[in-house]
Amino acid sequence: MRATAHVDRNLCLGAGLCEVMAAEMFRLDAEGIAVARQDTADGPDEAGRLELLRDIADCCPTGAITISTTTD
Amino acid sequence: MTPAAISGPPTALFSPEYYQNPYPTLTWLQENSPVHEFRFPVGDVPTWIVTRYEDVKTVLADPRYSAEAATYATPEFKAAGLVAAAGTILERGIAVVDPPVHTRLRRLAMKPFTTRRVQEWRETVRGIVARTLDECAERGGFDVMDDYAGEVAAKTLGEILGFRIERHRELVEALNQAFPSDPALIHEAPAAFGRICEYSAELVAEKRLHPGEDLTSALIQTSDDDGDRLDEDELVGMVAAIIMGGSDTVRGFIGNAVLGLLDHPDQAGLLRRSPELAGNAVEELLRYDGALSTALFRVTTEETELAGVKLPAGAPVIAGLLAANRDPRCFPAPETLDIARTGKRHVGFGHGLHNCMGAALARLEGEIAIHALFDRFPDLALDVPRDELRYIDSWAIRRLTALPVTTSATNRA
């Protein structure tokens, strides 16, 4: 299973919470808007990664982050 | 050392003169002492204030600057009574805890506050604003702080949380006592936090018995995918946090915004002619003169260094939000109010983990209330000389004591 995060750039207002919670998965670009890092490598920590992504999506003040999972 | 560095900032930090106009001092600090050590007026505790945009963001983003003063602060800081709400359930409230406790609280409570969900309150806010404007129109002249901004903020919060409006003034008073600027009044703070918790507990108890469409009822019901819920203390703490975060701040912001537009009639005219700019105008007004002067205290978890300044472990650090939003390194012509401005994001709602949960609601209230006021009263003007306006003595909140206006040229004093 792979978890992928998507940031809706029209909703994001750059509060920076996602970057603080997981700098390896999100960063703020030059405009200050969040970008999800496309690192979908699965591994033993994938379940933990999914849980963290869900935490971040639930904590985002604009509801700009969606998480999708694929099995392959 | 330059002569300016020897002379020090134009007014002492957190002095009565500073509150009336903090910007010259903040600009001086940005240029001469961007990570500035001073003695906090309450308890005379050594404290650092950070004024440059990038440094402010670092303080708010780096986990070595903890929000948990109760855990990391020095005995001196604690003895001065500076740990907010010490001894009450709010000591473990969402604004003053680090992950993982923070993550759990925030994910359980964030849902009703997201931009999309807050849109459900749009018509409610519109209705409140329209009714309040009718009352103001009957008066002809009125105080934006008490009769407009205060009413809109209180009615909106009351409606959303589901509490009776008459409690609001008592709450505002308790809030002012909870965050005193006068060192002589710090002993009243714990009782004030206690009163806020009492109101909140009563509200939660009432909504358990009679659930409604309100946010308090929603928070009682909320649970995550694993069935995790807020316990009683957490619920009461959360409702108390919403009361503290959502009343005087919104009132202060609307007041500052209205004054900013009265000071810049060209910008007020542009907003009146271009309602589509209302959202962007709110962002610029938050940047230009927001209601939060600073973030809540951060405390270093270990010895660290910021912009070349060594900070010991347990150092209280204040992130200067007003200052950061006028940093010329990030905002060209920062003193200029330009409601069409684009570019860097302001930090008026803070940044990072503890960025304001109610930001979407505050934006909605600001967007509707500010535009509607100027739209309804095209001749809105100050009803006192500009230099008679005063700000409250508060190091954390920037709010006018009163903003008397008149709605037509003929009414003007």
Side-chain angles (χ1 to χ4, degrees), chain B residues 30 57 64 75 131 150 152 187-188 197 199 237 267 330 346 359:
Chain B
Q30 243 166 22
K57 278 186 131 174
R64 288 175 302 171
R131 285 194 299 280
V152 169
H187 65 279
E188 291 179 9
C197 291
Y199 292 135
Q267 296 293 302
C330 301
H346 65 81

Side-chain angles (χ1 to χ4, degrees), chain A residues 8 11-21 28 30-33 51 54-63, chain B residues 57 60-61 102-103 106-107 110-111 113-116 225-226 283 343-345 350-353 355-356 360 363:
Chain A
D8 184 332
L11 282 174
C12 176
L13 287 168
L17 178 139
C18 56
E19 188 186 51
V20 171
M21 286 180 78
L28 297 184
E31 289 172 63
I33 300 299
E51 184 59 23
R54 285 197 171 134
D55 277 350
I56 294 169
D58 285 349
C59 288
C60 169
T62 57
Chain B
K57 278 186 131 174
L60 298 178
H102 173 264
T103 309
R106 179 140 178 156
R107 70 177 293 191
M110 190 62 231
K111 214 166 276 174
F113 287 107
T114 59
T115 311
R116 193 175 298 126
D225 298 342
D226 306 323
E283 297 309 310
K344 276 231 190 291
R345 310 287 324 162
H351 180 76
L353 285 183
N355 72 79
C356 176
R363 286 183 161 111

Side-chain angles (χ1 to χ4, degrees), chain A residues 15-47:
Chain A
L17 178 139
C18 56
E19 188 186 51
V20 171
M21 286 180 78
E24 67 283 11
M25 296 187 223
F26 298 91
R27 66 179 170 80
L28 297 184
D29 68 10
E31 289 172 63
I33 300 299
V35 180
R37 298 186 160 187
Q38 289 315 323
D39 155 41
T40 53
D42 45 5
D45 288 340
E46 190 58 23

Side-chain angles (χ1 to χ4, degrees), chain B residues 42-85:
Chain B
V42 176
D44 208 32
V45 180
T47 300
W48 285 260
I49 184 166
V50 177
T51 46
R52 288 186 184 172
Y53 182 88
E54 290 302 337
D55 296 338
V56 162
K57 278 186 131 174
T58 298
V59 168
L60 298 178
D62 186 328
R64 288 175 302 171
Y65 299 87
S66 168
E68 284 190 30
T71 306
Y72 295 103
T74 58
E76 193 184 3
F77 184 92
K78 292 179 185 172
L82 291 171
V83 175

Side-chain angles (χ1 to χ4, degrees), chain B residues 396-407:
Chain B
I397 301 276
R398 177 159 165 83
R399 171 170 77 67
L400 288 157
T401 55
L403 181 55
V405 290
T406 171
T407 55

Side-chain angles (χ1 to χ4, degrees), chain B residues 131-323:
Chain B
R131 285 194 299 280
T132 311
L133 283 172
D134 289 344
E135 291 159 18
C136 291
E138 279 172 28
R139 287 194 176 93
F142 59 95
D143 173 14
V144 171
M145 298 314 295
D146 270 356
D147 302 326
Y148 188 62
E151 288 291 304
V152 169
K155 288 173 184 165
T156 302
L157 193 67
E159 186 96 8
I160 287 179
L161 284 175
F163 71 79
R164 296 177 306 281
I165 197 74
E166 65 270 15
R167 306 227 68 172
H168 192 264
R169 271 182 208 285
E170 293 171 57
L171 277 172
V172 167
E173 199 180 309
L175 276 170
N176 289 337
Q177 287 171 350
F179 296 99
S181 295
D182 182 348
L185 297 177
I186 190 79
H187 65 279
E188 291 179 9
F193 278 111
R195 277 212 301 289
I196 294 165
C197 291
E198 269 172 46
Y199 292 135
S200 173
E202 283 172 30
L203 184 59
V204 168
E206 189 183 312
K207 293 297 165 188
R208 275 197 199 283
L209 283 176
H210 308 289
E213 295 297 300
D214 52 82
L215 185 58
T216 310
S217 302
L219 287 171
I220 291 170
Q221 290 301 321
T222 197
S223 70
D224 72 3
D225 298 342
D226 306 323
D228 190 15
R229 311 172 81 98
L230 296 169
D231 71 24
E232 184 67 18
D233 280 358
E234 289 167 345
L235 257 175
V236 171
M238 193 63 71
V239 171
I242 294 166
I243 291 171
M244 290 193 290
S247 46
D248 223 31
T249 48
V250 175
R251 177 176 175 226
F253 167 59
I254 293 174
N256 294 351
V258 170
L259 180 59
L261 289 167
L262 288 173
D263 282 343
H264 297 84
D266 59 317
Q267 296 293 302
L270 179 59
L271 176 62
R272 210 180 277 121
R273 290 191 306 276
S274 322
E276 74 280 2
L277 277 178
N280 203 72
V282 164
E283 297 309 310
E284 170 67 350
L285 290 159
L286 284 161
R287 181 200 71 79
Y288 178 75
D289 202 12
L292 289 183
S293 299
T294 65
L296 295 177
F297 272 113
R298 296 300 193 272
V299 177
T300 50
T301 60
E302 59 186 54
E303 187 183 290
T304 176
E305 194 181 296
L306 182 60
V309 175
K310 259 214 173 91
L311 301 169
V317 181
I318 292 175
L321 303 180
L322 289 181

